[in-house]
Amino acid sequence: MKTDTDCTMTEQHWDPDRYSRNARFVADLGVGVVDLLKPQPGERILDLGCGDGALTRKLVDLGCEVVGVDASTEQIAAAKRCGLDARVKDCQALGFDHEFDAVFSNAALHWMKDADAVLDGVKRALRPGGRFVAEMGAVGCVLKIRTALEQALARRGIDGAARNPWYFPPAEEYARRLENHGFTIDYILLFDRPTDLPGAVTSWLETFAEPYTSALPANERATFCQEVEKALQPQLCQPDGHWVADYVRLRFAAKLKPDG
């Protein structure tokens, strides 16, 4: 079986138009994280993994001074077109120095596999007593989808597990990381959140699963996605024909200790 010593891992690329069509639910479902943040007018907030800026805009509209950062040049360009202060930045190497009242993140932390580097940057970015409020994928998230992807790649002699781009931690593990970085946890919850998709699961795969599909030549990817969809249909396609993804989320609010 080929592993990633035999082929080069390909990063996930983000097409803002495709993302808007297939994944607008991500920002819509993130409104609850904004509520948990309780942003106050005049606060300076870092939106970590801001994407195209849909939630960044909500924070700005609430009177906050917001900086959005994301590794995707395409998503940052889309956020800038909306008039946002958005910057291309590796979120695992932030480099801000004690300038934010809060760090906010929705559906992005699980794309950053070096969790300790992220937390180092968040800690340094916050002022003493600052807040870190986020939601991310957690252990078990899209397990059925991942399994179908890996099995389809295995049938082609490719190690699909080695191409998994996500960090989906248990609540206890992430809580321990937060505490080790000087945070006090005010709230943490792991929960199942079956998520309605706007179309078939193939659209989800085209939007989010490039690290898997890029293992194949471009002319084989559509057939591969159709094969994965067929495997998932009995599990995720509802009797009325709409698809529901097996999401599991971790939502938390933590505060940096004054001496953290």
Side-chain angles (χ1 to χ4, degrees):
M1 178 176 291
K2 284 190 282 186
T3 69
D4 285 303
T5 60
D6 305 306
C7 57
T8 302
M9 279 289 286
T10 299
E11 294 180 359
Q12 173 73 33
H13 296 97
W14 301 102
D15 178 332
D17 293 333
R18 182 175 63 186
Y19 189 86
S20 182
R21 288 194 310 273
N22 298 332
R24 184 50 59 208
F25 64 87
V26 174
D28 293 343
L29 293 171
V31 172
V33 198
V34 175
D35 294 340
L36 184 61
L37 177 66
K38 298 182 177 65
Q40 301 301 309
E43 284 192 313
R44 184 166 169 81
I45 296 175
L46 177 65
D47 187 352
L48 187 64
C50 65
D52 63 2
L55 289 177
T56 318
R57 169 54 61 189
K58 290 185 181 295
L59 296 173
V60 170
D61 290 345
L62 290 168
C64 301
E65 179 186 346
V66 189
V67 176
V69 295
D70 199 285
S72 168
T73 56
E74 295 83 2
Q75 291 282 62
I76 289 297
K80 284 184 173 180
R81 287 195 292 271
C82 296
L84 299 170
D85 181 353
R87 311 174 190 180
V88 178
K89 190 171 284 290
D90 179 355
C91 295
Q92 297 171 122
L94 285 173
F96 295 104
D97 192 12
H98 307 300
E99 57 184 278
F100 293 98
D101 300 295
V103 174
F104 168 84
S105 186
N106 180 62
L109 292 173
H110 52 261
W111 289 97
M112 308 170 199
K113 296 191 87 168
D114 191 345
D116 288 317
V118 173
L119 288 169
D120 285 341
V122 169
K123 178 179 178 178
R124 182 178 171 188
L126 285 170
R127 295 167 178 154
R131 312 189 306 286
F132 183 26
V133 177
E135 183 177 300
M136 64 188 296
V139 62
C141 190
V142 293
L143 179 60
K144 293 175 182 177
I145 295 174
R146 284 185 281 141
T147 300
L149 284 163
E150 291 171 11
Q151 289 175 345
L153 284 177
R155 287 191 288 272
R156 292 161 172 81
I158 298 169
D159 182 0
R163 301 188 70 88
N164 182 351
W166 300 302
Y167 167 58
F168 291 141
E172 298 81 3
E173 177 182 317
Y174 207 80
R176 184 169 62 251
R177 290 186 187 275
L178 286 166
E179 290 165 350
N180 288 344
H181 284 81
F183 288 92
T184 298
I185 298 168
D186 296 323
Y187 172 91
I188 190 164
L189 177 68
L190 186 149
F191 59 100
D192 290 329
R193 193 190 67 203
T195 298
D196 292 336
L197 301 181
V201 77
T202 48
S203 296
W204 189 98
L205 297 173
E206 291 166 1
T207 305
F208 294 108
E210 186 177 355
Y212 293 97
T213 61
S214 63
L216 302 172
N219 63 354
E220 297 180 16
R221 294 173 192 172
T223 300
F224 172 81
C225 288
Q226 291 164 7
E227 180 182 323
V228 173
E229 179 181 90
K230 184 177 180 180
L232 288 169
Q233 188 163 8
Q235 305 173 69
L236 300 181
C237 188
Q238 306 306 297
D240 64 1
H242 85 276
W243 287 79
V244 177
D246 54 327
Y247 276 35
V248 181
R249 308 313 266 178
L250 180 64
R251 186 178 289 184
F252 64 85
K255 189 176 295 180
L256 185 63
K257 297 175 185 176
D259 58 351

